[in-house]
Amino acid sequence: MKMLIMGKIKTVTYVMLLAFVFGCSPSSQESSDTEIEKVLLDSKRNLVFVEGGEFWLGDVGNESGAPFTPILDNNKPPKLVEIDSFSILAKEVTWGEFLTYLHDVGRAEEYTIENGFSRAVRLPIVANNDPDSPNYKDKPARSPNFHEAENYCSWLAEKTGHPYALPSEAQWEFAARNRGQSVPFATDTGELDIDVYLQRSPVDPMHPVSGNALVHSSNQVERRPAGSYPPSPLGLHDMTGSVAEWTRDWFHPGFDHLSSDNPVAVEAPSSAPSKRSVRDLAGYGDHSGGLATVYARHGEDVDSPDQGFRCVVNHPESIN
């Protein structure tokens, strides 16, 4: 009997240890009230207020008039638009935050190998407490599709009563450019100093941060924890580098379709009926031809699992 009891104790201890390592409850995949409350508190505490204004959306060119993105035509000519004030998350949504949401709404199990989500072979939709893992809870999440990124922001809105949403493309660029300044990179200096982190072999997560952005191929799923690099003058992290980010706009080749007042593309064009606009192509590792600048954009199918995201609060005053 004593040996049986000791065996049970060891089994329980092992299960609890696994739960700690993989960041979930030993008895369920549900998020606790404490976990949810922390995500909601952080989602409010980490907001940066962005005072609205007028700016030229698109590639305005450098001081000599040359475009920042000479190999792209889909961000030219720039369009003069007016943006209302809003708030935006200073950091990309993390694996820990994203899995708290997926567990709360009961959809984490939909994105497993067993349920046919093939991307999970390369990058599972999980969160853990292992800094060596690409799924470490503080590293930027890769949403399995556009809809879950959008739903996460809607979940925040439902839980908090504040109007969270994915940023419009114009909001994203306005914030990345420090309220519309003609800067090429959303870094602390406006210039790019690439961290050598993923250029080393083997990769050491404990290796000190260098530079002011991580620009590396998406073939390497590893990234630094969100917020590892110095913030932009506006107080935002990783809007150049880390991971590419969803916006809520349908992708159009250019800006002629947009209004001049708080523009957002709410209808898909017939030429790209399933693509949403993605920003921060430096998050893919793209760097040549100005693709790492804040002006670069492209359309990505809504089922693509490669993008991260952050949310905005569409309210003309700070809610902090």
Side-chain angles (χ1 to χ4, degrees):
M1 176 65 73
K2 182 176 180 181
M3 292 179 64
L4 179 61
I5 293 174
M6 290 300 295
K8 288 183 177 180
I9 291 174
K10 289 181 179 179
T11 299
V12 171
T13 302
Y14 178 70
V15 172
M16 292 180 69
L17 177 61
L18 285 178
F20 173 78
V21 171
F22 290 99
C24 62
S25 165
S27 60
S28 74
Q29 289 291 310
E30 296 179 359
S31 294
S32 70
D33 290 343
T34 301
E35 291 171 330
I36 294 172
E37 188 60 32
K38 183 180 186 306
V39 171
L40 301 182
L41 180 62
D42 287 345
S43 72
K44 182 177 179 181
R45 183 170 53 198
N46 292 331
L47 286 170
V48 172
F49 182 68
V50 183
E51 184 180 353
E54 191 177 65
F55 84 115
W56 288 94
L57 171 67
D59 191 342
V60 296
N62 59 29
E63 292 181 359
S64 67
F68 284 114
T69 55
I71 67 173
L72 288 182
D73 292 324
N74 65 28
N75 55 6
K76 306 177 188 67
K79 184 181 183 71
L80 185 64
V81 300
E82 182 83 19
I83 297 288
D84 288 345
S85 299
F86 62 97
S87 298
I88 186 169
L89 288 176
K91 304 175 184 179
E92 293 156 334
V93 173
T94 66
W95 281 117
E97 294 165 336
F98 190 55
L99 265 294
T100 295
Y101 148 73
L102 282 179
H103 289 151
D104 186 51
V105 299
R107 283 202 295 278
E109 289 302 312
E110 294 182 14
Y111 302 110
T112 62
I113 299 172
E114 295 76 12
N115 283 327
F117 184 67
S118 59
R119 168 70 171 187
V121 175
R122 182 167 178 244
L123 186 64
I125 306 298
V126 299
N128 60 44
N129 294 316
D130 179 8
D132 286 334
S133 169
N135 294 89
Y136 178 50
K137 63 183 178 61
D138 293 333
K139 291 177 181 178
R142 311 280 185 104
S143 180
N145 51 55
F146 167 84
H147 307 292
E148 290 295 10
E150 185 177 51
N151 290 340
Y152 176 90
C153 298
S154 297
W155 176 78
L156 288 182
E158 178 184 353
K159 293 287 187 181
T160 64
H162 298 300
Y164 284 87
L166 282 176
S168 69
E169 202 173 355
Q171 286 176 321
W172 192 98
E173 185 176 314
F174 187 64
R177 289 171 50 190
N178 304 316
R179 300 187 61 249
Q181 295 178 15
S182 299
V183 293
F185 305 104
T187 59
D188 55 337
T189 63
E191 299 298 327
L192 188 61
D193 181 11
I194 299 176
D195 189 353
V196 299
Y197 175 49
L198 293 178
Q199 300 171 25
R200 305 170 62 87
S201 182
V203 173
D204 177 10
M206 299 297 107
H207 191 270
V209 170
S210 65
N212 61 9
L214 182 61
V215 180
H216 199 83
S217 171
S218 291
N219 289 330
Q220 169 63 271
V221 296
E222 168 65 3
R223 292 294 186 262
R224 294 274 197 187
S228 291
Y229 299 94
S232 70
L234 204 59
L236 304 174
H237 298 266
D238 303 326
M239 294 189 86
T240 290
S242 189
V243 294
E245 299 183 17
W246 288 113
T247 72
R248 73 173 183 266
D249 289 52
W250 290 100
F251 179 75
H252 290 249
F255 300 120
D256 288 343
H257 62 289
L258 294 175
S259 70
S260 298
D261 183 26
N262 294 303
V264 57
V266 296
E267 295 183 3
S270 58
S271 60
S274 64
K275 293 184 183 293
R276 297 278 184 165
S277 288
V278 171
R279 289 306 194 102
D280 188 13
L281 305 192
Y284 294 136
D286 292 335
H287 190 246
S288 62
L291 293 182
T293 67
V294 292
Y295 302 94
R297 60 191 291 267
H298 85 150
E300 192 69 55
D301 192 271
V302 293
D303 290 329
S304 171
D306 294 323
Q307 287 69 227
F309 66 99
R310 69 185 76 214
C311 307
V312 298
V313 174
N314 291 306
H315 193 279
E317 297 178 359
S318 173
I319 66 169
N320 283 339

